[in-house]
């Protein structure tokens, strides 16, 4: 994915999403908390929590995407282009209608990552996981993740 590429701000009603970053740097918004993920970082996006991502920095990013339970792959397949087609963004009306059929609500365009977003914190991987877990449990994610990170990390 090219620098600046972003998903729309959206929420899945049927599946949880997990991302494993292979290359590049990606900023994730999960609930109201931003997290930066680089290579070898795993990010969990629970269902029913609004989220999105944006490739930041000057290098492209590659990541693996896993959704559970199955079904999201049908959404991707329906919007896919032939392998020899020129890559392009989908028509917004088609994207919104297709997403709705698969229990995905498009909330709006990708949100910009805030200026001064902290990068490369030593505990980012743990913070991302803890924040996602706290959000899924209904806690204020940033506060709980900060408290646990301070207790476990120097």
């Amino acid at each position: 994915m090219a620098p600046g590429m972003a998903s729309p701000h959206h929420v899945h009603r049927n599946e949880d999403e997990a991302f494993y970053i292979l290359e590049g740097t990606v900023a994730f918004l999960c609930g109201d908390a931003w997290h930066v993920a680089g290579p070898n970082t795993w990010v969990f996006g629970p269902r029913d929590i609004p989220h999105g991502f944006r490739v930041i920095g000057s290098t492209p990013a590659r990541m693996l995407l896993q959704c559970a339970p199955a079904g999201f792959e049908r959404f991707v397949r329906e919007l896919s282009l032939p392998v020899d087609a020129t890559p392009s963004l989908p028509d917004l009306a088609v994207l919104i209608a297709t997403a709705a059929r698969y229990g995905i609500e498009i909330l709006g365009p990708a949100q910009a990552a805030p200026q001064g977003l902290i990068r490369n914190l030593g505990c980012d991987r743990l913070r991302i996981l803890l924040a996602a877990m706290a959000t899924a449990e209904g806690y204020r994610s940033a506060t709980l993740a900060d408290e646990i990170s301070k207790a476990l990390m120097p």
Side-chain angles (χ1 to χ4, degrees):
M1 298 176 293
M5 188 273 178
S7 71
H9 193 224
H10 63 284
V11 61
H12 296 258
R13 300 298 180 195
N14 300 327
E15 61 273 325
D16 299 318
E17 264 185 311
F19 305 86
Y20 183 76
I21 310 306
L22 298 168
E23 296 174 356
T25 306
V26 184
F28 287 88
L29 175 61
C30 187
D32 63 353
W34 281 95
H35 306 281
V36 176
N40 301 315
T41 303
W42 183 79
V43 179
F44 179 68
R47 73 187 81 190
D48 294 324
I49 304 296
H51 63 279
F53 65 84
R54 178 179 298 276
V55 178
I56 59 175
S58 60
T59 59
R62 289 187 326 127
M63 62 184 172
L64 301 175
L65 171 65
Q66 177 184 5
C67 293
F72 181 74
E73 71 282 358
R74 294 187 302 248
F75 165 74
V76 172
R77 192 175 318 129
E78 192 167 328
L79 290 175
S80 294
L81 298 172
V83 70
D84 58 350
T86 302
S88 64
L89 296 174
D91 175 271
L92 187 56
V94 171
L95 173 65
I96 291 170
T98 305
R101 285 196 302 277
Y102 291 96
I104 304 165
E105 183 181 353
I106 305 297
L107 303 174
Q111 297 189 13
Q115 291 292 330
L117 186 62
I118 297 172
R119 292 179 171 81
N120 299 322
L121 289 175
C123 59
D124 256 358
R125 291 182 197 145
L126 178 61
R127 287 177 48 78
I128 290 168
L129 177 58
L130 292 172
M133 291 168 57
T135 302
E137 294 297 321
Y139 299 106
R140 181 152 173 72
S141 62
T143 302
L144 181 62
D146 283 346
E147 290 174 7
I148 296 173
S149 293
K150 286 176 190 172
L152 297 177
M153 303 284 185

